[in-house]
Amino acid sequence: MPMGTVPTRILVTGALGQIGTELVEVLRDKYGEKSVIATDIREANGCTQLDVMDAEGIESLVQNEEITDIYHLAALLSATGEKNPDLCWSINVDGLVNVISAAKKYGCRLFSPSSIAVFGPDCPKHAPQVTGLNPSTVYGKTKVVGEHLAMSSEIDMRGLRYPGLISWKAPAGGGTTDYAVEIFHAALYEGHYNCFVREDTRLPMMYMDDAIRATLELMEASLDSLGTSRGGYNIAGCSFTVGELVESIHRHIPEFTCSFIPDIRQNYADSWPDSIEDIVARKEWGWMPEFNLDRIVDEMILNLRNSQSSS
Ligand code: NAD
Ligand code: SER
């Protein structure tokens, strides 16, 4: 490390969730085990208990651990959030304000995810970077506030509008796009899935490896190269209907069956775009996805089968 350079010390909130489980692993590989403090409201080995509603607790951890970078993943997702709108607002907005305040006081950089849920029914189905953000869910509104705070809080704060994320290491955490994770477990272990959205529901999706790489690439980019989308870049992975997902799973498990029993989450899915236009992220920090639908399905089935046989 060059003389005078401050070593990177990272705090991750919400570290036990779908993204945190994988991001912490990658950050620890990159910066060293002891340089990454994983925290969550839940208890687990290797994880410090921290509620993001506890502003003093966040500040003292940031100060005592000499934190330079915060990855703020603690949040309620869309399905859980719409069941508990007040709690969703508190955790997603007040919790973020607490984290921003600590980051500002101790000069930390901050990554805070946004979501495709910032878009509402008035958005074009192929969502541009810049358009009216009029979400119909409380969850989406909290993400719009997060993007505004990124640009107005006078700290180096960055975000990505993650699509629905597909991964095998940790369960999905109460979102509308959870069906695209649950379906693999059902296909492998039950042979059947009752899907809570219609067969023709098309949403933007992304494999976790692409999402983690995007996160690291955004945080590695020089601040000067980032423009007014810094608080929430559109990033596209791929886009498919549930019917197309089932068809791709059939390449591995031809006997798999799926029924469609839409619930309230259909409304949230219908209010979001089908696909994402990500030209700004490509231009400003070189974003490029690697996983298409068939490759995601191949990886999910291979990894779930391997993890089952080794457990
Ligand atoms: P998740 O639900 O899997 O994990 C969130 C974690 O936050 C959980 O471990 C939970 O215990 C923790 N948490 C909840 N309340 C807390 C509190 N008060 N204090 C501390 N921790 C608390 O969510 P995720 O999928 O890992 O999402 C992380 C971030 O990415 C969120 O901001 C989410 O909105 C965003 N995002 C996720 C997706 C996706 O598909 N997973 C898509 C778009 C955006
Ligand atoms: N995947 C998330 C959800 O469905 C989108 O932010 O809530």
Side-chain angles (χ1 to χ4, degrees):
M1 187 187 314
M3 283 235 310
T5 308
V6 179
T8 302
R9 301 268 309 154
I10 295 173
L11 171 71
V12 182
T13 71
L16 296 175
Q18 189 191 7
I19 301 175
T21 300
E22 303 209 26
L23 184 64
V24 166
E25 247 178 52
V26 173
L27 289 172
R28 283 185 171 155
D29 282 349
K30 186 172 159 84
Y31 295 102
E33 186 79 16
K34 295 209 169 104
S35 301
V36 180
I37 315 298
T39 71
D40 201 284
I41 196 168
R42 293 184 277 156
E43 273 184 90
N45 279 341
C47 189
T48 303
Q49 213 170 1
L50 178 71
D51 182 347
V52 293
M53 301 312 292
D54 174 9
E56 277 179 27
I58 299 169
E59 276 203 14
S60 59
L61 200 57
V62 168
Q63 182 182 25
N64 296 339
E65 295 289 348
E66 300 180 339
I67 297 298
T68 57
D69 294 30
I70 305 175
Y71 291 76
H72 174 52
L73 305 179
L76 289 196
L77 272 67
S78 58
T80 316
E82 298 315 292
K83 280 191 206 148
N84 309 279
D86 292 344
L87 185 63
C88 180
W89 190 270
S90 302
I91 294 176
N92 294 13
V93 177
D94 301 339
L96 174 59
V97 168
N98 290 340
V99 171
I100 290 175
S101 154
K104 203 165 182 174
K105 190 158 172 187
Y106 294 101
C108 308
R109 301 185 326 136
L110 172 58
F111 174 80
S112 180
S114 185
S115 163
I116 52 164
V118 291
F119 301 113
D122 60 337
C123 174
K125 281 298 171 191
H126 186 56
Q129 176 70 50
V130 179
T131 184
L133 299 180
N134 300 300
S136 48
T137 59
V138 172
Y139 171 72
K141 293 182 206 302
T142 68
K143 292 296 176 184
V144 174
V145 172
E147 290 193 11
H148 283 303
L149 288 172
M151 300 313 288
S152 62
S153 59
E154 293 165 5
I155 59 169
D156 177 351
M157 178 170 164
R158 309 174 183 196
L160 297 169
R161 291 173 179 160
Y162 287 134
L165 299 182
I166 302 178
S167 68
W168 59 275
K169 289 189 184 169
T176 301
T177 57
D178 289 15
Y179 66 84
V181 177
E182 293 171 3
I183 197 168
F184 290 97
H185 296 264
L188 282 165
Y189 312 128
E190 326 271 339
H192 181 79
Y193 183 55
N194 286 328
C195 184
F196 55 76
V197 295
R198 283 188 320 268
E199 187 173 7
D200 64 353
T201 304
R202 179 181 294 283
L203 283 176
M205 296 282 179
M206 180 174 283
Y207 194 50
M208 186 62 84
D209 293 30
D210 266 348
I212 299 287
R213 186 171 51 79
T215 306
L216 264 53
E217 286 176 3
L218 174 62
M219 290 305 277
E220 280 159 10
S222 100
L223 185 57
D224 295 344
S225 65
L226 309 180
T228 51
S229 303
R230 170 164 57 81
Y233 282 99
N234 277 11
I235 49 167
C238 51
S239 160
F240 49 81
T241 65
V242 194
E244 289 162 354
L245 175 57
V246 170
E247 223 173 273
S248 185
I249 294 173
H250 278 156
R251 292 176 304 121
H252 295 269
I253 312 170
E255 66 281 11
F256 169 57
T257 54
C258 189
S259 306
F260 298 91
I261 310 166
D263 65 19
I264 184 71
R265 289 169 282 189
Q266 183 71 56
N267 296 354
Y268 314 148
D270 288 344
S271 75
W272 296 345
D274 290 353
S275 60
I276 297 292
E277 190 267 289
D278 61 2
I279 187 77
V280 179
R282 288 177 189 239
K283 272 197 184 142
E284 291 188 6
W285 49 277
W287 166 243
M288 188 62 70
E290 287 180 1
F291 287 82
N292 63 18
L293 170 59
D294 283 347
R295 190 161 169 219
I296 293 175
V297 170
D298 297 347
E299 291 279 326
M300 284 296 288
I301 289 180
L302 178 74
N303 285 311
L304 285 172
R305 278 188 172 141
N306 286 346
S307 67
Q308 170 89 340
S309 61
S310 64
S311 64

